[in-house]
Structure formats: structure tokens, C-alpha cells
Amino acid sequence: MDITFNKNEDALKQQVFRLNSALEKISLGGGEKKIESQHKKGKLTARERIDYLLDDGSPQVEIGALAGHGMYKDVGGCPSGGVVVKTGYIKGRQCMVVANDATVKAGAWFPITAKKNLRAQEIAMENRLPIVYLVDSAGVFLPMQDEIFPDKEHFGRQFRNNARMSSMGIVQIAAIMGSCVAGGAYLPIMSDEAMIVDKTGSIFLAGSYLVKAAIGENIDNETLGGATTHCEISGVTDNKFENDQACLDYIRSLFDKLGHEEKAGFDRIEPVAPEKDEKEIYGLFPEDRVKPYDVREIIGRLVDKSEFDEYKALYGKTIVCAYARIDGWAVGIVANQRQVVKTKKGEMQMGGVIYSDSADKAARFIMNCNQRKIPLVFLQDVSGFMVGSKAEHGGIIKDGAKMVNAMANSTVPKFTIVMGNSYGAGNYAMCGKAYDPRLIFAWPTAQIAVMSGASAAKTLLQIKVASLKAKGKEITKEEEEELLKEITDKYNDELSPYYAAARLWVDGIIDPLDTRKVISEGIHGASHAPLEKFNVGVIQT
């Protein structure tokens, strides 16, 4: 191993350590005192409920762990968006679990909470996964109601999704394990079966204080909407249980009897670990964002036996397309390749630029994978499409559109891993969030933006200086440098994968060594949903 490998390894391991530290802190939700308060009430926390519910030792993938990270600082933050979302297994059946975290503002819904809940439902709908709601929420966070209540992708959309999932035959099970108030009351009751925990669970459209204010009736919350009321009088809930554990045991019993659905038909054989050491990814992936490396070396540490069959290996070399297996599943991999390009002024390092021939190759490969029912994996490290007169005259726009068209119309499931750069139209062509990847995760080395920090900062500086000069203000070189630093710092913050994960532009940030697991579990989930017929539409040749 050379010194460059060691430097890369140290840098990436430090980023993984930072990630694990952040996730450890987030796992405490509202903090140890709030957790203790839950326990004193006889309640488990959201994460404890999920751990109890899911099969011991079974694979889990958390969605949106970093949602809300660094946001809402003026109200104390909202760790993990105030809700824990995981895919996992109950009695061997893969499912989605959504659990309100009552340690975070009593489980109140922030704007990011709604977005995260809708993402969980979207994943369940796309993959026909049963979904379990563990409800414990005080409802909408009123100071931000205008950002959560009225719009299409706001709070009410979840109930629309409840109804749509029901019509699709997707199993929905709800457990009311704490507060469930106002509009939120519809979520569990629009599920197939709703249960409630005695004395701690309650459900009503308006609590006792609001009832007193609205109609003058004096009543306590337990009589108004507790377990006895809804299991013995109203019939709103189906069964009551003495504690969280008994309720969760009942859900496990229900899953033990679920029927099976038609499968998508993806090919899987016995998984085999990569022959090359996966941990070497740490040293192989460059710390320098434009330094060339061979992405085949990364692929060789992600795929079974480190074996893959490359498609058009001698053509369109800035994208590598390959057939392989990941954890036994057949996959088609589309990966960006950084390279050194010779120019009139010498050599220039290019960070994963897509050329016309690369786009053409990728489009054809994507169509082949759809023809053969092979799920697609996109490994993003892309600066965008090639620019300049040569590229334009060669039809880069046409070929780029061809790739985007094939990818957007793909009916086999797509999975995106943002390893490094994810800039501009390259993000789109390589299946960014706007193109419905079943899962999209980032490595700690990822950056997502319209362009790189250096390019953006210089552009923004020019605009700012021109604006000031138009107002008759001249700025000194020192002022210009200070302004550049201010712009650069702000833009770099927005480039961070944590910024993206906080806003759910990606489903989370992962250790590169978890990449195989995430892709495998994603394909397993996708295998539950039959495929639509592939129709690429109009593509110019």
C-alpha cells in the first residue's frame, strides 16, 4: 500500500467515525431524560419498540436517520425528524415500520416529519411491503402548521396514501401506543387493523381541553378516547393490550399468518462475499475530489466473488456498465469513471464527466437490463455532461437525453449510491432523487449540488460583485476575498451529504461497507412488486 492509499484510508475512516458518532447521538432522540420519562410511564421508546418487533438478528435498513439534522435550531431541533423508519423482518416477512418518537417534542409532526412519513409510505407502495405504524404523537407542531398542513405533499397526503395502499392490497397494521390526536387519528383507523395499549394509548379528534373550550363538556382523556372506550364502546380499535410488549407480540402473530404475493422474478443465487477485501475501499476511494481512480476496483469490492462482466468495455469509457451479482442478486451496474483527459494545454483531471459515447452506452445498457429483468445499481461520482463546442457539435444534448429517457422509463427497480460528486445534470442522468430510485444512499464522501463548490463560489462572487458595482459601490481586493470566503463556506455547507440527508434528498448516509447490505435489502423489497412493461418512448438516434 502506498502513501496515497493510506491518506485516503485515514480520511474516509475519519468521516465514517463522524457519521457513527452523529447516528449514536441521534439514536437518543430527545435525550436520556426523555427516555427515562417514557420508561416511567411503562412505555418503550420508538427504537425499543422496533427492536422488539423485528426478528432478532435480521437485516434492517434505517430510512432517514439524519432527517432534520441541523434544522429547527430555534425550537431545539428535531432529531431523526421525530420518527423512526426502518425496513426489516417480522416472522421472516420483510416490512416497513414507522414509529413516532415521543421523546422528540412529544412526537409532534414537523415539516420534515411529514416528508419522512410520506417517503416511508412511498417505499412501501413501490415495493408492496406491509407497513406497521407505531403511533405515539401529539399531532402537528402548531407553530409550523402552515408548512405541514395544507399542501399536496403535507400531512394530509399520508391519509390519501392509506387509502391508496388499501386499494392496492398492501397490509397496514397500526398500534396506538401513546397519543393519537386530531387528523392523525385517521392514520391508524384507515389501516387494516388497529390496536391500542391500555392506559397509555388514546385516540380522539379533540382532547379534553379542546372539548371543554368547544362545547363546554367536562371529560378526561381516558374516558374520552382511551383503550376501554374504543375497544368496548365505540369499536374504533380492534383489541387492547396491557403493555407495549403484548401489543407488539400480537403484531408478530398477525405477520405469522400473512399470505404471499406474486414476485417480480429477479434472479438470485447463493450469495458469495467479494474475493477482494471490501475494507480496501477506504484506501482506494480518493480524498481528492477530482483525482482519477479506477471504479472497477470499487465494483470488485462490492460484487460477489469480485466478478463482473463489463458491457462495451472499450467504448464510452467515462461510464462503466457491468453485469454482476450483489449478495446473490443479479444486478446491472452503471458507474462513473474519473479520468485524465489530454487537452491542448496538457493533461487535465476530469471528475466523472459524461461524454456522448458514454451516455449512448449507458442508455443501451439500461434498456438491456429492463429487457432481462435485472435491477439497476447507479454508482454516482459525476461532475456532469461534457461541455464545449466539440461536445455540442457531437450531439451531447441528444445523447444525454437518450440516457435520461431510458433511465426515467426504466421499470426494473433502481438503486443509487452517491459515492462522490453528484453535480448538475449528471445527478439526473445517474438516477438522482427526482428519478424515483427505490433507495438512494450516500457515502460520507458525497457532495450533491448544481456544481462544485469552487465553481459555484466563483460564479456567485461574480454576480455579487457585479450587483454591488451596479449600485455604485466599489469593493477592495480584501473585501472581495472576504466575500468569496463567506460564499464558499455557505455553499460548502450545502454540498455536505449531511445537508442532503437532513432534507431527505437521500435516504441516509452509510459506511461504504454497508453498501452491499443496503442494495440487497432494497432488491429483496422490490422483488415483492410485479414489474410493469418497459416502454422507453421516443429516443432520437
Side-chain angles (χ1 to χ4, degrees), residues 5-19:
F5 183 98
N6 292 335
K7 285 182 177 179
N8 291 338
E9 183 178 44
D10 288 345
L12 189 40
K13 282 186 173 180
Q14 285 177 29
Q15 292 197 58
V16 170
F17 177 81
R18 178 194 171 194
L19 170 64

Side-chain angles (χ1 to χ4, degrees), residues 42-97:
K43 298 164 67 177
L44 300 175
T45 66
R47 292 184 181 277
E48 288 169 344
R49 287 166 177 165
I50 292 177
D51 287 343
Y52 187 95
L53 181 63
L54 296 179
D55 296 344
D56 290 339
S58 65
Q60 301 177 13
V61 175
E62 184 163 359
I63 307 297
L66 289 154
H69 183 71
M71 299 168 67
Y72 313 119
K73 293 179 180 178
D74 55 333
V75 292
C78 187
S80 212
V83 60
V84 183
V85 173
K86 288 188 179 184
T87 62
Y89 295 80
I90 301 175
K91 293 291 184 176
R93 297 294 298 273
Q94 194 176 24
C95 64
M96 172 68 71
V97 185

Side-chain angles (χ1 to χ4, degrees), residues 383-446:
S383 297
F385 286 89
M386 190 59 188
V387 297
S389 60
K390 185 178 179 180
E392 296 293 358
H393 296 170
I396 186 66
I397 297 174
K398 177 187 67 177
D399 291 318
K402 186 190 304 183
M403 179 180 175
V404 171
N405 198 331
M407 181 273 301
N409 282 298
S410 177
T411 57
V412 295
K414 299 168 291 192
F415 302 90
T416 302
I417 304 296
V418 186
M419 304 188 303
N421 304 326
S422 181
Y423 301 149
N427 168 283
Y428 296 164
M430 290 294 293
C431 196
K433 184 66 181 290
Y435 292 86
D436 298 324
R438 296 293 178 95
L439 293 175
I440 176 169
F441 279 86
W443 286 2
T445 46

Side-chain angles (χ1 to χ4, degrees), residues 96-99 117 121 131-135 158 161-162 165 172-177 187-188 191 251:
M96 172 68 71
V97 185
V98 180
N117 274 266
Q121 290 182 320
I131 185 166
V132 178
Y133 306 103
L134 305 180
V135 184
Q158 67 175 333
N161 288 348
N162 283 145
M165 282 191 278
Q172 299 177 84
I173 295 171
I176 302 158
M177 313 184 85
L187 184 142
S191 300
I251 296 174

Side-chain angles (χ1 to χ4, degrees), residues 442-457:
W443 286 2
T445 46
Q447 287 190 351
I448 302 171
V450 172
M451 62 182 74
S452 70
S455 298

Side-chain angles (χ1 to χ4, degrees), residues 181-182 204-213 219-221 224:
V181 301
F204 33 64
L205 294 180
S208 56
Y209 291 120
L210 187 54
V211 167
K212 172 67 174 175
I219 190 169
D220 63 88
N221 283 336
L224 181 65

Side-chain angles (χ1 to χ4, degrees), residues 26 28-31 33-35 37-38 41 43 46 68 71-83 100-113 136-144 148 179-181:
I26 284 168
L28 296 175
K33 288 185 178 180
K34 295 286 187 179
I35 292 173
S37 177
Q38 283 281 98
K41 295 174 185 176
K43 298 164 67 177
M71 299 168 67
Y72 313 119
K73 293 179 180 178
D74 55 333
V75 292
C78 187
S80 212
V83 60
N100 299 116
D101 188 348
T103 70
V104 179
K105 297 290 190 297
W109 284 58
F110 283 67
I112 198 65
T113 316
D136 193 348
S137 171
V140 169
F141 185 64
L142 289 177
M144 307 183 88
I148 186 174
S179 297
C180 184
V181 301

